[in-house]
Amino acid sequence: MISMAPAESDRLLDAAQRGDRAALEALLTHHRKTVFRYGLRYCGSTEDTEDAVQETLWAAARAIGNFRRAAAVTTWLFTIVRNKCHRLLLHHKHADRDLADLLPQLPDPGRSAEDDLATQQVQHILAAALARLEPSHREVILLRDVEGLTAPEAAERVGITVQALKSRLHRARAQLRAEVSGVQGLAASG
C-alpha cells in the first residue's frame, strides 16, 4: 500500500463527507488492506476477516457523514472491524474452534513427552477459559498478555482510555482465573 499524505487523506475525507462517491471509494480502498491485516488479529479465519472487512467498509460508507475527526479514520475503521469480528466469533462460538491454536506455542528442546502433554493440556484449559470470556475481556487479555502491548498501545487499539483499559484488564484477568478454575474442575471430574 502506498502511503497517503495526511493532506490527501483529509481532502478525500472532506469530499466523501460531502457525498463524493469517488472520494469515498478511494479513501476506503486505500485503508482496506490495513483494516484486513488488523481484522486478522480478531477474526478466527481469513474468510471471517473478509466478511468483517466487507461489513466494515459498508458500515463506514453508510456512516461517513457522521464521522467526527476526534480519531483517525483508521482508528474508526479498526473499531468497526474489531466489533464485526467479535460478532462473528460469538456467532461461531459453538463451532469446532479451539483458541489454543491462537496461543503462542512453547517449544522446549529438552522436554519429555509428558512435559509436552502437560503443556498441551494447559494450553487447552487456557484456550477453553479464554473462549468463555466476554469478547471485550478476551481482547484486552490477548493484547496485553499475549501480544505484549503496553497499556497505552492497547488502549489506543481498543479505543478507550488507559485507565478504562486497566480496569477492564483487571476484571478480565479475574474472570479468566475463575474460568480456568472452572475448566480445571471439569477436566478433573471428566
Side-chain angles (χ1 to χ4, degrees), residues 131-163:
R132 294 157 78 109
L133 294 181
E134 296 175 29
S136 62
H137 286 176
R138 182 173 43 251
E139 177 182 32
V140 295
I141 292 218
L142 291 174
L143 288 173
R144 290 285 284 133
D145 298 337
V146 175
E147 290 186 32
L149 296 181
T150 65
E153 290 169 336
E156 181 179 343
R157 187 90 53 90
V158 176
I160 59 177
T161 66
V162 172
Q163 190 59 38

mmCIF file of all heavy atoms in Angstrom, residues 131-163:
data_model
loop_
_atom_site.group_PDB
_atom_site.id
_atom_site.type_symbol
_atom_site.label_atom_id
_atom_site.label_comp_id
_atom_site.label_asym_id
_atom_site.label_seq_id
_atom_site.Cartn_x
_atom_site.Cartn_y
_atom_site.Cartn_z
ATOM 1 N N ALA A 131 -12.096 -18.718 25.652
ATOM 2 C CA ALA A 131 -13.269 -18.771 24.778
ATOM 3 C C ALA A 131 -14.543 -18.389 25.528
ATOM 4 O O ALA A 131 -15.495 -17.904 24.918
ATOM 5 C CB ALA A 131 -13.415 -20.161 24.177
ATOM 6 N N ARG A 132 -14.552 -18.594 26.829
ATOM 7 C CA ARG A 132 -15.746 -18.289 27.620
ATOM 8 C C ARG A 132 -15.790 -16.843 28.098
ATOM 9 O O ARG A 132 -16.811 -16.398 28.619
ATOM 10 C CB ARG A 132 -15.812 -19.240 28.805
ATOM 11 C CG ARG A 132 -16.033 -20.677 28.373
ATOM 12 C CD ARG A 132 -15.554 -21.644 29.410
ATOM 13 N NE ARG A 132 -16.440 -21.794 30.524
ATOM 14 C CZ ARG A 132 -17.156 -22.864 30.746
ATOM 15 N NH1 ARG A 132 -17.099 -23.863 29.901
ATOM 16 N NH2 ARG A 132 -17.917 -22.954 31.811
ATOM 17 N N LEU A 133 -14.705 -16.096 27.931
ATOM 18 C CA LEU A 133 -14.683 -14.696 28.340
ATOM 19 C C LEU A 133 -15.547 -13.852 27.414
ATOM 20 O O LEU A 133 -15.745 -14.193 26.250
ATOM 21 C CB LEU A 133 -13.257 -14.142 28.303
ATOM 22 C CG LEU A 133 -12.238 -14.694 29.274
ATOM 23 C CD1 LEU A 133 -10.904 -13.996 29.070
ATOM 24 C CD2 LEU A 133 -12.692 -14.558 30.709
ATOM 25 N N GLU A 134 -16.006 -12.731 27.942
ATOM 26 C CA GLU A 134 -16.672 -11.751 27.095
ATOM 27 C C GLU A 134 -15.659 -11.309 26.040
ATOM 28 O O GLU A 134 -14.467 -11.203 26.331
ATOM 29 C CB GLU A 134 -17.080 -10.530 27.910
ATOM 30 C CG GLU A 134 -18.101 -10.784 28.977
ATOM 31 C CD GLU A 134 -18.351 -9.522 29.807
ATOM 32 O OE1 GLU A 134 -18.193 -8.406 29.275
ATOM 33 O OE2 GLU A 134 -18.688 -9.685 30.978
ATOM 34 N N PRO A 135 -16.099 -11.030 24.823
ATOM 35 C CA PRO A 135 -15.153 -10.626 23.781
ATOM 36 C C PRO A 135 -14.273 -9.434 24.177
ATOM 37 O O PRO A 135 -13.089 -9.417 23.883
ATOM 38 C CB PRO A 135 -16.051 -10.279 22.592
ATOM 39 C CG PRO A 135 -17.267 -11.127 22.805
ATOM 40 C CD PRO A 135 -17.464 -11.174 24.308
ATOM 41 N N SER A 136 -14.837 -8.444 24.865
ATOM 42 C CA SER A 136 -14.022 -7.284 25.248
ATOM 43 C C SER A 136 -12.967 -7.672 26.275
ATOM 44 O O SER A 136 -11.867 -7.113 26.276
ATOM 45 C CB SER A 136 -14.909 -6.163 25.800
ATOM 46 O OG SER A 136 -15.578 -6.591 26.974
ATOM 47 N N HIS A 137 -13.278 -8.631 27.142
ATOM 48 C CA HIS A 137 -12.287 -9.099 28.113
ATOM 49 C C HIS A 137 -11.214 -9.929 27.419
ATOM 50 O O HIS A 137 -10.018 -9.777 27.700
ATOM 51 C CB HIS A 137 -12.952 -9.918 29.213
ATOM 52 C CG HIS A 137 -13.716 -9.077 30.185
ATOM 53 N ND1 HIS A 137 -14.458 -9.612 31.201
ATOM 54 C CD2 HIS A 137 -13.858 -7.735 30.310
ATOM 55 C CE1 HIS A 137 -15.021 -8.645 31.903
ATOM 56 N NE2 HIS A 137 -14.673 -7.494 31.369
ATOM 57 N N ARG A 138 -11.632 -10.805 26.513
ATOM 58 C CA ARG A 138 -10.664 -11.628 25.775
ATOM 59 C C ARG A 138 -9.716 -10.728 24.989
ATOM 60 O O ARG A 138 -8.512 -10.956 24.948
ATOM 61 C CB ARG A 138 -11.396 -12.594 24.837
ATOM 62 C CG ARG A 138 -10.472 -13.513 24.075
ATOM 63 C CD ARG A 138 -11.191 -14.587 23.257
ATOM 64 N NE ARG A 138 -12.355 -14.134 22.537
ATOM 65 C CZ ARG A 138 -13.614 -14.450 22.849
ATOM 66 N NH1 ARG A 138 -13.889 -15.265 23.839
ATOM 67 N NH2 ARG A 138 -14.628 -13.976 22.132
ATOM 68 N N GLU A 139 -10.257 -9.673 24.400
ATOM 69 C CA GLU A 139 -9.454 -8.767 23.591
ATOM 70 C C GLU A 139 -8.337 -8.112 24.403
ATOM 71 O O GLU A 139 -7.178 -8.109 23.974
ATOM 72 C CB GLU A 139 -10.350 -7.687 22.983
ATOM 73 C CG GLU A 139 -9.600 -6.663 22.182
ATOM 74 C CD GLU A 139 -10.516 -5.586 21.631
ATOM 75 O OE1 GLU A 139 -11.524 -5.253 22.278
ATOM 76 O OE2 GLU A 139 -10.203 -5.084 20.552
ATOM 77 N N VAL A 140 -8.649 -7.585 25.589
ATOM 78 C CA VAL A 140 -7.601 -6.911 26.364
ATOM 79 C C VAL A 140 -6.568 -7.905 26.885
ATOM 80 O O VAL A 140 -5.381 -7.574 26.973
ATOM 81 C CB VAL A 140 -8.169 -6.040 27.516
ATOM 82 C CG1 VAL A 140 -8.983 -4.883 26.964
ATOM 83 C CG2 VAL A 140 -8.961 -6.832 28.510
ATOM 84 N N ILE A 141 -6.993 -9.114 27.210
ATOM 85 C CA ILE A 141 -6.021 -10.130 27.652
ATOM 86 C C ILE A 141 -5.083 -10.483 26.504
ATOM 87 O O ILE A 141 -3.864 -10.571 26.694
ATOM 88 C CB ILE A 141 -6.742 -11.384 28.187
ATOM 89 C CG1 ILE A 141 -7.444 -11.010 29.469
ATOM 90 C CG2 ILE A 141 -5.799 -12.565 28.309
ATOM 91 C CD1 ILE A 141 -7.476 -11.968 30.574
ATOM 92 N N LEU A 142 -5.636 -10.687 25.312
ATOM 93 C CA LEU A 142 -4.793 -11.023 24.163
ATOM 94 C C LEU A 142 -3.837 -9.875 23.825
ATOM 95 O O LEU A 142 -2.659 -10.110 23.544
ATOM 96 C CB LEU A 142 -5.650 -11.389 22.955
ATOM 97 C CG LEU A 142 -6.418 -12.704 23.061
ATOM 98 C CD1 LEU A 142 -7.357 -12.886 21.873
ATOM 99 C CD2 LEU A 142 -5.475 -13.887 23.185
ATOM 100 N N LEU A 143 -4.324 -8.645 23.865
ATOM 101 C CA LEU A 143 -3.468 -7.507 23.537
ATOM 102 C C LEU A 143 -2.342 -7.332 24.550
ATOM 103 O O LEU A 143 -1.179 -7.140 24.181
ATOM 104 C CB LEU A 143 -4.295 -6.220 23.463
ATOM 105 C CG LEU A 143 -5.221 -6.079 22.263
ATOM 106 C CD1 LEU A 143 -6.096 -4.845 22.407
ATOM 107 C CD2 LEU A 143 -4.438 -6.026 20.969
ATOM 108 N N ARG A 144 -2.680 -7.388 25.838
ATOM 109 C CA ARG A 144 -1.675 -7.121 26.877
ATOM 110 C C ARG A 144 -0.826 -8.344 27.195
ATOM 111 O O ARG A 144 0.398 -8.243 27.268
ATOM 112 C CB ARG A 144 -2.365 -6.635 28.158
ATOM 113 C CG ARG A 144 -2.964 -5.264 28.043
ATOM 114 C CD ARG A 144 -1.946 -4.149 28.072
ATOM 115 N NE ARG A 144 -1.498 -3.962 29.439
ATOM 116 C CZ ARG A 144 -0.235 -3.841 29.811
ATOM 117 N NH1 ARG A 144 0.717 -3.867 28.918
ATOM 118 N NH2 ARG A 144 0.072 -3.694 31.066
ATOM 119 N N ASP A 145 -1.455 -9.507 27.391
ATOM 120 C CA ASP A 145 -0.729 -10.661 27.908
ATOM 121 C C ASP A 145 -0.191 -11.594 26.830
ATOM 122 O O ASP A 145 0.755 -12.326 27.089
ATOM 123 C CB ASP A 145 -1.623 -11.448 28.873
ATOM 124 C CG ASP A 145 -2.014 -10.611 30.092
ATOM 125 O OD1 ASP A 145 -1.301 -9.654 30.408
ATOM 126 O OD2 ASP A 145 -3.043 -10.928 30.718
ATOM 127 N N VAL A 146 -0.781 -11.576 25.647
ATOM 128 C CA VAL A 146 -0.285 -12.447 24.582
ATOM 129 C C VAL A 146 0.561 -11.635 23.604
ATOM 130 O O VAL A 146 1.699 -11.990 23.324
ATOM 131 C CB VAL A 146 -1.441 -13.175 23.853
ATOM 132 C CG1 VAL A 146 -0.936 -13.979 22.683
ATOM 133 C CG2 VAL A 146 -2.185 -14.076 24.838
ATOM 134 N N GLU A 147 -0.004 -10.518 23.089
ATOM 135 C CA GLU A 147 0.760 -9.704 22.142
ATOM 136 C C GLU A 147 1.810 -8.845 22.837
ATOM 137 O O GLU A 147 2.741 -8.378 22.205
ATOM 138 C CB GLU A 147 -0.174 -8.819 21.322
ATOM 139 C CG GLU A 147 -1.027 -9.591 20.337
ATOM 140 C CD GLU A 147 -1.849 -8.687 19.438
ATOM 141 O OE1 GLU A 147 -1.385 -7.568 19.107
ATOM 142 O OE2 GLU A 147 -2.950 -9.102 19.061
ATOM 143 N N GLY A 148 1.630 -8.580 24.138
ATOM 144 C CA GLY A 148 2.616 -7.819 24.897
ATOM 145 C C GLY A 148 2.588 -6.320 24.652
ATOM 146 O O GLY A 148 3.586 -5.633 24.872
ATOM 147 N N LEU A 149 1.443 -5.800 24.216
ATOM 148 C CA LEU A 149 1.350 -4.354 24.011
ATOM 149 C C LEU A 149 1.378 -3.632 25.353
ATOM 150 O O LEU A 149 0.942 -4.175 26.373
ATOM 151 C CB LEU A 149 0.059 -3.998 23.283
ATOM 152 C CG LEU A 149 -0.116 -4.517 21.860
ATOM 153 C CD1 LEU A 149 -1.440 -4.035 21.288
ATOM 154 C CD2 LEU A 149 1.030 -4.092 20.972
ATOM 155 N N THR A 150 1.858 -2.408 25.344
ATOM 156 C CA THR A 150 1.812 -1.584 26.545
ATOM 157 C C THR A 150 0.365 -1.147 26.770
ATOM 158 O O THR A 150 -0.466 -1.220 25.853
ATOM 159 C CB THR A 150 2.695 -0.328 26.389
ATOM 160 O OG1 THR A 150 2.139 0.500 25.357
ATOM 161 C CG2 THR A 150 4.145 -0.693 26.081
ATOM 162 N N ALA A 151 0.080 -0.660 27.967
ATOM 163 C CA ALA A 151 -1.280 -0.197 28.260
ATOM 164 C C ALA A 151 -1.715 0.916 27.305
ATOM 165 O O ALA A 151 -2.830 0.866 26.775
ATOM 166 C CB ALA A 151 -1.403 0.230 29.718
ATOM 167 N N PRO A 152 -0.865 1.930 27.049
ATOM 168 C CA PRO A 152 -1.289 2.970 26.100
ATOM 169 C C PRO A 152 -1.529 2.432 24.685
ATOM 170 O O PRO A 152 -2.473 2.838 24.011
ATOM 171 C CB PRO A 152 -0.124 3.976 26.120
ATOM 172 C CG PRO A 152 0.529 3.784 27.444
ATOM 173 C CD PRO A 152 0.384 2.314 27.741
ATOM 174 N N GLU A 153 -0.675 1.498 24.234
ATOM 175 C CA GLU A 153 -0.868 0.919 22.901
ATOM 176 C C GLU A 153 -2.176 0.130 22.834
ATOM 177 O O GLU A 153 -2.939 0.263 21.874
ATOM 178 C CB GLU A 153 0.300 -0.014 22.553
ATOM 179 C CG GLU A 153 1.611 0.680 22.309
ATOM 180 C CD GLU A 153 2.793 -0.280 22.223
ATOM 181 O OE1 GLU A 153 2.723 -1.408 22.785
ATOM 182 O OE2 GLU A 153 3.795 0.090 21.619
ATOM 183 N N ALA A 154 -2.423 -0.677 23.852
ATOM 184 C CA ALA A 154 -3.651 -1.478 23.872
ATOM 185 C C ALA A 154 -4.880 -0.578 23.975
ATOM 186 O O ALA A 154 -5.893 -0.824 23.312
ATOM 187 C CB ALA A 154 -3.610 -2.476 25.022
ATOM 188 N N ALA A 155 -4.796 0.454 24.807
ATOM 189 C CA ALA A 155 -5.934 1.369 24.965
ATOM 190 C C ALA A 155 -6.259 2.058 23.650
ATOM 191 O O ALA A 155 -7.443 2.181 23.283
ATOM 192 C CB ALA A 155 -5.621 2.408 26.052
ATOM 193 N N GLU A 156 -5.229 2.467 22.933
ATOM 194 C CA GLU A 156 -5.456 3.107 21.636
ATOM 195 C C GLU A 156 -6.087 2.122 20.659
ATOM 196 O O GLU A 156 -7.015 2.451 19.935
ATOM 197 C CB GLU A 156 -4.142 3.637 21.062
ATOM 198 C CG GLU A 156 -4.332 4.328 19.730
ATOM 199 C CD GLU A 156 -3.039 4.871 19.152
ATOM 200 O OE1 GLU A 156 -2.044 5.001 19.891
ATOM 201 O OE2 GLU A 156 -3.033 5.144 17.947
ATOM 202 N N ARG A 157 -5.608 0.901 20.647
ATOM 203 C CA ARG A 157 -6.121 -0.131 19.744
ATOM 204 C C ARG A 157 -7.598 -0.397 20.028
ATOM 205 O O ARG A 157 -8.379 -0.594 19.114
ATOM 206 C CB ARG A 157 -5.287 -1.390 19.934
ATOM 207 C CG ARG A 157 -5.538 -2.502 18.988
ATOM 208 C CD ARG A 157 -4.750 -2.556 17.708
ATOM 209 N NE ARG A 157 -3.328 -2.496 17.695
ATOM 210 C CZ ARG A 157 -2.512 -3.525 17.756
ATOM 211 N NH1 ARG A 157 -2.970 -4.729 17.922
ATOM 212 N NH2 ARG A 157 -1.223 -3.350 17.651
ATOM 213 N N VAL A 158 -7.965 -0.419 21.310
ATOM 214 C CA VAL A 158 -9.346 -0.719 21.689
ATOM 215 C C VAL A 158 -10.227 0.525 21.582
ATOM 216 O O VAL A 158 -11.439 0.421 21.412
ATOM 217 C CB VAL A 158 -9.388 -1.304 23.126
ATOM 218 C CG1 VAL A 158 -10.800 -1.528 23.603
ATOM 219 C CG2 VAL A 158 -8.608 -2.607 23.186
ATOM 220 N N GLY A 159 -9.604 1.698 21.680
ATOM 221 C CA GLY A 159 -10.367 2.938 21.583
ATOM 222 C C GLY A 159 -10.928 3.404 22.907
ATOM 223 O O GLY A 159 -12.005 3.999 22.952
ATOM 224 N N ILE A 160 -10.193 3.123 24.001
ATOM 225 C CA ILE A 160 -10.613 3.563 25.337
ATOM 226 C C ILE A 160 -9.425 4.214 26.023
ATOM 227 O O ILE A 160 -8.301 4.160 25.529
ATOM 228 C CB ILE A 160 -11.161 2.376 26.182
ATOM 229 C CG1 ILE A 160 -10.098 1.280 26.344
ATOM 230 C CG2 ILE A 160 -12.428 1.812 25.571
ATOM 231 C CD1 ILE A 160 -10.539 0.106 27.226
ATOM 232 N N THR A 161 -9.662 4.808 27.189
ATOM 233 C CA THR A 161 -8.577 5.431 27.942
ATOM 234 C C THR A 161 -7.708 4.354 28.584
ATOM 235 O O THR A 161 -8.145 3.211 28.759
ATOM 236 C CB THR A 161 -9.117 6.352 29.056
ATOM 237 O OG1 THR A 161 -9.789 5.541 30.029
ATOM 238 C CG2 THR A 161 -10.056 7.415 28.498
ATOM 239 N N VAL A 162 -6.508 4.737 28.968
ATOM 240 C CA VAL A 162 -5.604 3.797 29.635
ATOM 241 C C VAL A 162 -6.231 3.327 30.945
ATOM 242 O O VAL A 162 -6.170 2.135 31.283
ATOM 243 C CB VAL A 162 -4.217 4.440 29.878
ATOM 244 C CG1 VAL A 162 -3.337 3.553 30.743
ATOM 245 C CG2 VAL A 162 -3.529 4.733 28.561
ATOM 246 N N GLN A 163 -6.845 4.241 31.682
ATOM 247 C CA GLN A 163 -7.478 3.863 32.957
ATOM 248 C C GLN A 163 -8.611 2.863 32.723
ATOM 249 O O GLN A 163 -8.746 1.883 33.460
ATOM 250 C CB GLN A 163 -8.000 5.104 33.690
ATOM 251 C CG GLN A 163 -8.448 4.825 35.099
ATOM 252 C CD GLN A 163 -7.319 4.255 35.958
ATOM 253 O OE1 GLN A 163 -6.172 4.649 35.858
ATOM 254 N NE2 GLN A 163 -7.645 3.290 36.802
#
